[in-house]
């Protein structure tokens, strides 16, 4: 959909959502409080109502901020960081979440290529919360085009050096654009990509493995229980464009309850601990040979999967350094 046409739909829709949420807040809050008493699920619907109100308000503030930021990258990066960290902090408070992080020192110094697990709607916020704000690394994003329905991501994201890719039909032009993001990175910059290309779900894993039956990578892919096999096109484009840049991997567990709206209203997310783990691989240890690099990427992605398994399957006590949610506010 053309940019102007899309924004003529999404921005008015956002404004109407905000007006509706504000106008009906007293009545809706009363009803959902009564429902919360009956459901005994820690008033999750009340929490989500307040989150929708805060989200829509932040979207409007972000759009106004974009008007003042203009084309200044410094101001746009500051606005992006503030918007993402504020939204994440509000979610942590409303859902009583705890955040545990290990290996955060691995993201510095820049430049870096950041490969992040994709399991939830919140994954787009994590880089700003765990990398940009604490470490000062400005990230260029490879994102799915579906996120353009979010007005702030659309307006601000398209003014910064990011790329929105069509996951269903990636083209050579997409790979070229992704590669361009990794060129001429400064010491406080990086590129982030979600190697799986879409949020993990067991049904998606089954479909992907079914399509890979005849692939030489099937055995390695089938060992991944909590992640999807990495899509190699975008990763290779970045690694070829920046062969001297270190790679940082990020695995996380606990965000699965952010995957769908049904997950959010179930109440399972309330009081959960979110585990985040980073590790770094020096550029010299990343193979240049295509076949060897493929094996390397699958080995690293197996490690991503193993981190999730540690906390999802085995439910071991956290060994992470605890970080208070207010630290990301």
């Amino acid at each position: 959909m053309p940019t102007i046409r899309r924004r003529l739909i999404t921005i008015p829709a956002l404004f109407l959502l905000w007006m509706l949420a504000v106008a009906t807040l007293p009545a809706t809050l009363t009803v959902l409080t009564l429902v919360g008493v009956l459901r005994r699920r820690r008033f999750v619907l009340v929490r989500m109502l307040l989150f929708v109100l805060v989200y829509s308000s932040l979207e409007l503030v972000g759009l106004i901020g974009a008007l003042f930021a203009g084309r200044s990258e410094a101001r746009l990066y500051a606005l992006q960081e503030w918007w993402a960290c504020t939204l994440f902090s509000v979610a942590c408070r409303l859902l009583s979440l705890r955040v545990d992080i290990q290996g955060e020192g691995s993201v510095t110094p820049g430049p870096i290529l950041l490969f992040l697990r994709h399991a939830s709607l919140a994954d787009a916020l994590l880089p700003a919360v765990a990398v940009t704000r604490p470490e000062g690394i400005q990230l260029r994003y490879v994102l799915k085009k579906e996120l353009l329905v979010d007005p702030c991501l659309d307006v601000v994201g398209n003014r910064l050096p990011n790329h929105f890719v069509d996951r269903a039909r990636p083209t050579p032009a997409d790979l070229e654009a992704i590669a361009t993001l990794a060129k001429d990175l400064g010491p406080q910059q990086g590129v982030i990509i979600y190697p799986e290309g879409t949020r993990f779900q067991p049904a998606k894993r089954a479909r992907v493995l079914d399509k890979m039956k005849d692939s030489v990578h099937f055995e390695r892919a089938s060992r991944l229980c909590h992640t999807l096999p990495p899509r190699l096109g975008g990763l290779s484009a970045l690694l070829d464009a920046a062969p001297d840049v270190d790679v940082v991997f990020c695995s996380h567990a606990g965000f699965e309850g952010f995957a769908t709206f049904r997950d959010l209203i179930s109440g399972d997310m309330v009081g959960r601990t979110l585990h985040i783990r980073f590790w770094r691989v020096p550029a010299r240890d990343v193979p240049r040979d295509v076949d060897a690099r493929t094996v390397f990427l699958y080995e690293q992605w197996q490690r991503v999967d193993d981190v999730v398994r540690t906390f999802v399957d085995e439910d071991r006590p956290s060994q992470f350094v605890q970080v208070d949610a207010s630290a990301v506010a």
Side-chain angles (χ1 to χ4, degrees), residues 61-315:
V61 173
L63 290 174
I64 294 171
L67 290 175
F68 289 97
R71 296 286 173 175
S72 168
E73 283 198 7
R75 293 178 182 176
L76 289 169
Y77 272 119
L79 176 63
Q80 176 180 269
E81 176 191 321
W82 171 84
W83 182 89
C85 291
T86 301
L87 187 59
F88 188 85
S89 180
V90 168
C92 287
R93 288 181 169 86
L94 286 176
L95 297 176
S96 302
L97 303 176
R98 292 180 298 167
V99 182
D100 290 335
I101 303 179
Q102 186 181 48
E104 60 268 42
S106 299
V107 304
T108 55
I112 60 170
L113 301 178
L114 177 58
F115 297 168
L116 182 75
R117 182 198 179 209
H118 195 12
S120 74
L121 300 170
D123 294 346
L125 306 178
L126 281 184
V129 171
V131 177
T132 301
R133 172 156 289 188
E135 307 298 341
I137 301 291
Q138 294 180 342
L139 293 169
R140 303 171 181 181
Y141 287 73
V142 180
L143 297 167
K144 59 185 180 182
K145 280 189 175 180
E146 289 89 335
L147 289 175
L148 291 172
V149 299
D150 183 299
C152 268
L153 286 177
D154 183 4
V155 174
V156 177
N158 275 304
R159 292 183 187 177
L160 290 171
N162 304 310
H163 182 65
F164 292 86
V165 64
D166 186 342
R167 298 175 300 165
R169 294 179 296 274
T171 65
D174 283 317
L175 296 180
E176 184 178 347
I178 291 171
T180 299
L181 295 179
K183 294 178 180 178
D184 302 320
L185 291 173
Q188 291 300 113
Q189 294 179 322
V191 182
I192 175 170
I193 190 170
Y194 302 84
E196 295 158 286
T198 186
R199 296 192 302 271
F200 171 84
Q201 291 176 349
K204 290 181 180 179
R205 175 180 179 272
R207 289 196 296 270
V208 171
L209 290 178
D210 186 61
K211 293 179 180 178
M212 293 183 65
K213 283 181 180 178
D214 300 324
S215 171
V216 294
H217 307 306
F218 176 77
E219 183 178 351
R220 291 190 181 92
S222 63
R223 296 180 196 145
L224 302 170
C225 299
H226 300 286
T227 59
L228 299 177
R231 297 186 179 185
L232 303 176
L235 303 184
S236 296
L238 290 174
L239 293 170
D240 287 338
D244 298 322
V245 175
D246 292 353
V247 180
V248 176
F249 291 86
C250 178
S251 183
H252 54 77
F255 290 87
E256 294 77 13
F258 277 108
T260 66
F261 181 72
R262 179 180 296 180
D263 293 332
L264 291 171
I265 65 175
S266 70
D268 293 341
M269 278 300 299
V270 179
R272 183 175 289 188
T273 298
L274 309 177
H275 305 288
I276 306 168
R277 176 178 290 179
F278 293 96
W279 65 91
R280 188 182 188 109
V281 178
R284 63 178 178 272
D285 294 336
V286 179
R288 301 293 178 89
D289 175 75
V290 174
D291 292 335
R293 189 166 65 190
T294 298
V295 173
F296 162 81
L297 290 172
Y298 266 96
E299 289 175 346
Q300 293 297 320
W301 211 248
Q302 183 65 60
R303 183 176 175 182
V304 170
D305 196 83
D306 291 342
V307 169
V308 183
R309 181 181 300 151
T310 298
F311 295 101
V312 174
D313 284 358
E314 301 179 14
D315 195 27

